[in-house]
Amino acid sequence: MLVEEIGTRCDHCNGAITEYYNHRYSGMRGKCIHCMVDFPLE
């Protein structure tokens, strides 16, 4: 799994967001490394 930190901050806790490819959704997703909120990037 390819993971890269992006410049966007989490709306919930202001934590760093990581970007990764999700096979289940066939696209890029974002996840907060602190509160673990997961969301689409498209």
Side-chain angles (χ1 to χ4, degrees):
M1 175 170 62
L2 176 64
V3 176
E4 179 180 331
E5 189 172 316
I6 59 177
T8 307
R9 304 300 285 186
C10 178
D11 289 338
H12 300 283
C13 73
N14 201 36
I17 301 293
T18 57
E19 180 179 311
Y20 67 97
Y21 183 81
N22 187 299
H23 293 286
R24 181 175 168 200
Y25 294 104
S26 298
M28 296 306 289
R29 303 283 291 178
K31 181 172 277 205
C32 175
I33 62 173
H34 297 286
C35 65
M36 305 307 284
V37 172
D38 186 44
F39 56 89
L41 293 176
E42 286 95 34

